[in-house]
Amino acid sequence: MKERRAIGEFVRGVSSARNWIRKNDGGDDDGGGNCRYPPANGRYHLYVAYNCPWCHRVLLARALLGLEDAISVDVLYPNRSSNDESSGPNLWKFCPEGQVGMNGQHTQFPECTEDSLHSKRYIKEVYELAGIDDQKTVPLLFDRETNTVVNNESADIIRMFATSMTPFHTTLPSIDLYPSDKADEIDELNDWIYKEVANGSYKAGFSSNQDVYETAYQTYFTALDRLNTILATKKYLTGSTVVEADLRLFPTMYRHDPIYYLRFKLNAKYLWEYKNLWRWMGDMISLEGMESVSNARYLAHCKQGYFGRTWNGTIPIGPGGYPECYKNREWPISKN
């Protein structure tokens, strides 16, 4: 990992808390024959940042499955701590009052909260309270009852929400994000979408090595071509209903035109140039529950997070029409 970073490649860290919410099946035993983290309503709490795509896909699962009442949430500020803060730089923080950014403007987001459980300032302090000293990432799924971190791997959290928290799903008709008859297909999609698209976009955007960037760039757009072909004959990635793989793809596609095209230098094509992917985006963003996790306010957090802490810190005003245009299948025509 150090060697790859040394040559300018972006390398994502590894999640360390990998416990599982499950029924009493012998896993994660508490010592008394019971599962340490059983499914429960109101017991678990999420810490997220809207601009983080890994948090985004967890929030998508929470919203689409109707788990808002069962899983509470706190929202971090889209920019992290600076060098002049006593805690040190690059830490996710609670900052509902807003702050002055690199562009000299004070920016406040009404969606940002305090730490409602512990009144901490930084997410690192929440980890430390739970006995974990080397982590500072989100999303973080926290257990109110034991004051411990359940899990900080977004893929695990999505799967738990979909399969272990089913008694608390409220969306009707119900959504099965991980149907058993499509499990292998979903796992295969998840694997290459993560490598080539979700994490692949970051490899392009944060690489300081030209060769690494160009390889990630080509891989990314080859993957978009592949996705566009898949969606030529399917409404969603595996058929007529939305599944986990769709949720894991959405955050990157949502950010591509208004953010990644410029910030990550992924500028071969706009998303609207992919007919089937664009139609899929419209179907996804129109699903019940999606409004709160894909509206213009959500995009504002994303822009602040990606542009407000790098380059010169200025936040782009455009491109106009996003994210509302995702529902417009004639957008390239109507735009002109």
Side-chain angles (χ1 to χ4, degrees):
M1 184 179 290
K2 289 182 179 179
E3 291 78 9
R4 291 164 64 194
R5 285 176 172 162
I7 63 169
E9 181 179 351
F10 171 80
V11 183
R12 187 168 301 284
V14 178
S15 301
S16 63
R18 304 293 295 272
N19 304 301
W20 206 266
I21 297 174
R22 55 163 56 93
K23 297 178 182 178
N24 291 337
D25 60 358
D28 292 334
D29 197 296
D30 65 358
N34 298 311
C35 181
R36 188 180 188 190
Y37 301 111
N41 188 6
R43 174 170 172 170
Y44 303 105
H45 184 77
L46 267 177
Y47 291 104
V48 298
Y50 279 6
N51 54 302
C52 168
W54 318 107
C55 292
H56 196 177
R57 59 189 193 173
V58 169
L59 288 170
L60 289 168
R62 176 177 176 265
L64 287 181
L65 296 171
L67 286 169
E68 291 94 334
D69 291 336
I71 308 286
S72 54
V73 65
D74 280 330
V75 180
L76 294 141
Y77 193 76
N79 294 145
R80 305 183 207 184
S81 59
S82 59
N83 287 318
D84 58 2
E85 295 185 45
S86 59
S87 61
N90 203 34
L91 298 176
W92 291 107
K93 64 182 181 179
F94 303 94
C95 190
E97 71 277 13
Q99 66 180 32
V100 176
M102 290 173 60
N103 60 0
Q105 291 186 355
H106 182 271
T107 304
Q108 183 178 12
F109 294 93
E111 298 83 8
C112 290
T113 67
E114 296 179 342
D115 174 11
S116 64
L117 297 189
H118 314 291
S119 300
K120 299 298 183 182
R121 181 65 170 176
Y122 303 98
I123 201 68
K124 184 176 185 292
E125 295 175 299
V126 177
Y127 278 107
E128 290 170 348
L129 178 149
I132 300 174
D133 296 326
D134 60 345
Q135 287 288 300
K136 56 182 180 179
T137 63
V138 286
L140 187 162
L141 184 63
F142 194 87
D143 178 24
R144 299 168 181 265
E145 186 170 308
T146 62
N147 266 346
T148 57
V149 174
V150 180
N151 201 297
N152 64 350
E153 168 52 58
S154 62
D156 291 352
I157 298 172
I158 295 171
R159 186 70 56 82
M160 284 187 279
F161 284 2
T163 61
S164 300
M165 295 293 288
T166 51
F168 313 109
H169 293 182
T170 60
T171 301
L172 295 174
S174 61
I175 297 175
D176 187 355
L177 293 178
Y178 196 66
S180 58
D181 62 328
K182 294 184 177 179
D184 290 344
E185 184 180 4
I186 293 169
D187 289 344
E188 181 183 356
L189 283 162
N190 285 344
D191 182 62
W192 68 262
I193 287 173
Y194 170 77
K195 293 175 181 175
E196 300 174 17
V197 180
N199 197 55
S201 62
Y202 271 69
K203 284 191 172 184
F206 287 112
S207 173
S208 59
N209 180 291
Q210 186 68 29
D211 291 336
V212 172
Y213 158 70
E214 291 184 10
T215 298
Y217 178 100
Q218 295 297 335
T219 300
Y220 178 85
F221 284 104
T222 298
L224 263 57
D225 288 334
R226 181 179 178 183
L227 289 163
N228 198 53
T229 299
I230 291 172
L231 292 167
T233 56
K234 298 177 181 178
K235 183 175 183 180
Y236 299 106
L237 288 174
T238 64
S240 60
T241 58
V242 63
V243 295
E244 183 183 284
D246 295 286
L247 263 64
R248 291 174 59 151
L249 174 63
F250 183 88
T252 305
M253 298 299 94
Y254 176 83
R255 289 160 173 74
H256 177 83
D257 284 10
I259 298 172
Y260 291 177
Y261 187 94
L262 174 61
R263 175 62 186 87
F264 283 1
K265 301 176 285 292
L266 290 169
N267 50 13
K269 288 183 179 180
Y270 287 103
L271 195 65
W272 51 258
E273 295 182 74
Y274 295 92
K275 177 183 177 181
N276 305 316
L277 260 174
W278 187 259
R279 186 269 310 154
W280 171 86
M281 273 297 296
D283 290 335
M284 286 292 294
I285 209 167
S286 298
L287 289 167
E288 181 182 350
M290 287 289 284
E291 167 63 20
S292 64
V293 289
S294 64
N295 59 24
R297 290 298 309 162
Y298 202 100
L299 183 59
H301 281 251
C302 295
K303 285 187 174 181
Q304 181 69 33
Y306 284 96
F307 292 102
R309 59 187 287 259
T310 56
W311 293 3
N312 59 8
T314 58
I315 313 300
I317 296 172
Y322 289 84
E324 296 83 1
C325 65
Y326 289 130
K327 298 180 181 180
N328 184 354
R329 296 190 182 183
E330 304 300 324
W331 172 246
I333 298 174
S334 60
K335 182 180 179 182
N336 297 321

